[in-house]
Amino acid sequence: MQVTGNVYRLANPVLNTPGVTLAARVGDASPTASISLTNSSPDVYTEGLNVARGATATGFTSSGSIGNLAAGQTSANAIQVALNTGTAGSFTGTQALAYVSTGAGTTLASDVSVGSGSVSLAGRVYTPAVASVGTTPIDFGIVHVGDVVASRNVAVTNAAAATALNDVLVGSIGTSGASSFTASGNLGSGLGAGQTNNTSLNVQLNTSIAGIYSGAANLALSSRNADMADLPLATSAIALRAQVNNYANPVYNLVTGDGTLSGSGFSFTLDFGEVVQNAAAETATLRLLNSVLGPADLLEGSFSFDVALFALSGFTSFTGLGAGQGLDGLVIAMNTDSLGTFSETITLNAFGYNASGYRGAIEVSLLVRGSVVEGSAVPEPSTIILIGLGLAGLAAVRRRFRG
């Protein structure tokens, strides 16, 4: 009689996952990790391996088991560990494992314990940052071309409650809409729970060109921790508004009549030149124009006079002259009854103003001058022509008699 038999080794468990580290934010779906084990054997003559879960550390849950893992085989994901995300904090501990060698399918021998294992567990659950940003529009009001305007700050708060473990709030600022608005700054390493930053995020206004501008400040904010990808946070855009005015600019224009008008800025001259005594009065009609493109300050003013040598009309107080609008009917006349040189200064005492409360004084002088001379001093052109014709006629007669 021939007797044969096989001798089997007990299962030989090898733990391939010595430790698990998980991270999440409060309220996230629970992150999980697999525990991998191998029934290590040089050949097929090894019993199967059963693995059961023991105690699981607080803050974690586990699931699964391994049944009759054959010799040389690996189970990569039959046993799972998950991190609970209901409470913020740092959690550590172990997952206990019980190893059993089973004869099922091989020796049919009774199960035998072949030891135990332990997987180190580490988990961190963060309370996410909560961005609180004031949505009140930023209005720079009415300013002027060339003004240096202070930047406006945007205040941001991490409104999350302080817990055992918190994300910080990070982010930066940009703008959209009118190119006259720019923004700069960021929150650096971040705001902790309950912290506010009202200095780092700024909006600036470029005042080089007059206009009425609107736009928006846009914040790119995220919740950040050291273990996870940043979590983008939604925020509302902050409306931006500004009006950049040109200053009011009073300018005299000669509309019709006599004389020559010259000058610019704060000084003008109306020169009637020399006029023959008792000739018709020299008269000029002027217009005072707020010579500027809008948007611009309004112009108001009144006139004062140093002497009363010229006849004036229309030089009355006015208000509300907008860009391109004018005060018409300013008439100046020079009487020719008396000989002499005459001059008079008309002073415009004006103000540029706008709805912001700005009121800037502007003083513009208009010098009016002219001379009244005797008739012989300046012969009329027609008289000169007649004299010339008479002399030419006498010369012709003399030549005829000589002939």
Side-chain angles (χ1 to χ4, degrees):
M1 181 178 64
Q2 182 178 5
V3 178
T4 61
N6 296 322
V7 178
Y8 283 79
R9 304 177 187 85
L10 294 177
N12 182 29
V14 174
L15 179 61
N16 303 316
T17 308
V20 168
T21 299
L22 297 171
R25 293 184 174 92
V26 172
D28 284 354
S30 293
T32 62
S34 298
I35 296 176
S36 173
L37 290 108
T38 300
N39 186 0
S40 179
S41 176
D43 53 44
V44 297
Y45 297 105
T46 299
E47 288 189 334
L49 175 66
N50 291 341
V51 181
R53 292 176 291 108
T56 304
T58 300
F60 299 88
T61 59
S62 62
S63 61
S65 62
I66 298 174
N68 203 4
L69 183 63
Q73 299 298 303
T74 296
S75 173
N77 51 25
I79 297 177
Q80 300 278 323
V81 176
L83 176 65
N84 295 329
T85 63
T87 303
S90 295
F91 303 94
T92 59
T94 60
Q95 173 63 59
L97 301 173
Y99 304 141
V100 172
S101 181
T102 178
T106 55
T107 65
L108 301 179
S110 299
D111 292 351
V112 177
S113 172
V114 288
S116 62
S118 180
V119 177
S120 296
L121 303 180
R124 285 180 285 275
V125 180
Y126 295 86
T127 296
V130 177
S132 176
V133 182
T135 56
T136 302
I138 294 176
D139 193 343
F140 287 88
I142 302 174
V143 297
H144 290 102
V145 170
D147 280 356
V148 177
V149 179
S151 61
R152 302 296 178 88
N153 298 325
V154 176
V156 178
T157 298
N158 182 355
T163 59
L165 208 56
N166 281 84
D167 278 6
V168 296
L169 180 64
V170 297
S172 59
I173 188 170
T175 59
S176 59
S179 60
S180 290
F181 297 112
T182 57
S184 61
N186 60 70
L187 297 178
S189 59
L191 299 179
Q195 292 183 336
T196 296
N197 183 309
N198 56 12
T199 60
S200 296
L201 304 180
N202 306 298
V203 179
Q204 299 87 34
L205 174 65
N206 184 332
T207 63
S208 61
I209 301 174
I212 298 174
Y213 302 108
S214 62
N218 304 302
L219 299 177
L221 303 178
S222 297
S223 184
R224 174 177 292 176
N225 63 59
D227 297 304
M228 304 172 67
D230 287 357
L231 174 66
L233 302 177
T235 59
S236 299
I238 302 171
L240 305 176
R241 294 194 292 261
Q243 179 171 324
V244 182
N245 273 14
N246 284 310
Y247 287 98
N249 182 33
V251 173
Y252 285 105
N253 290 334
L254 178 60
V255 178
T256 185
D258 305 309
T260 301
L261 180 67
S262 61
S264 62
F266 303 119
S267 178
F268 292 82
T269 299
L270 176 64
D271 193 345
F272 285 112
E274 292 185 343
V275 184
V276 174
Q277 186 179 20
N278 295 320
E282 294 284 295
T283 302
T285 300
L286 305 183
R287 184 184 197 218
L288 179 65
L289 178 70
N290 187 1
S291 182
V292 67
L293 296 176
D297 291 349
L298 299 174
L299 184 66
E300 68 176 23
S302 60
F303 301 92
S304 59
F305 318 95
D306 59 349
V307 292
L309 300 179
F310 295 83
L312 306 175
S313 65
F315 288 87
T316 58
S317 299
F318 64 92
T319 189
L321 287 186
Q325 295 179 336
L327 178 65
D328 294 307
L330 305 179
V331 179
I332 303 174
M334 184 175 76
N335 191 298
T336 63
D337 292 346
S338 301
L339 295 172
T341 297
F342 307 95
S343 66
E344 178 178 349
T345 298
I346 302 171
T347 301
L348 168 63
N349 304 296
F351 292 91
Y353 65 96
N354 60 53
S356 73
Y358 169 82
R359 185 176 174 84
I362 310 170
E363 184 176 292
V364 180
S365 66
L366 172 61
L367 173 64
V368 183
R369 66 189 180 192
S371 298
V372 178
V373 298
E374 294 181 350
S376 59
V378 182
E380 293 289 339
S382 58
T383 303
I384 295 173
I385 294 173
L386 290 174
I387 293 172
L389 291 174
L391 292 174
L394 288 174
V397 170
R398 292 183 63 184
R399 283 196 299 272
R400 183 177 297 174
F401 278 116
R402 288 178 180 174

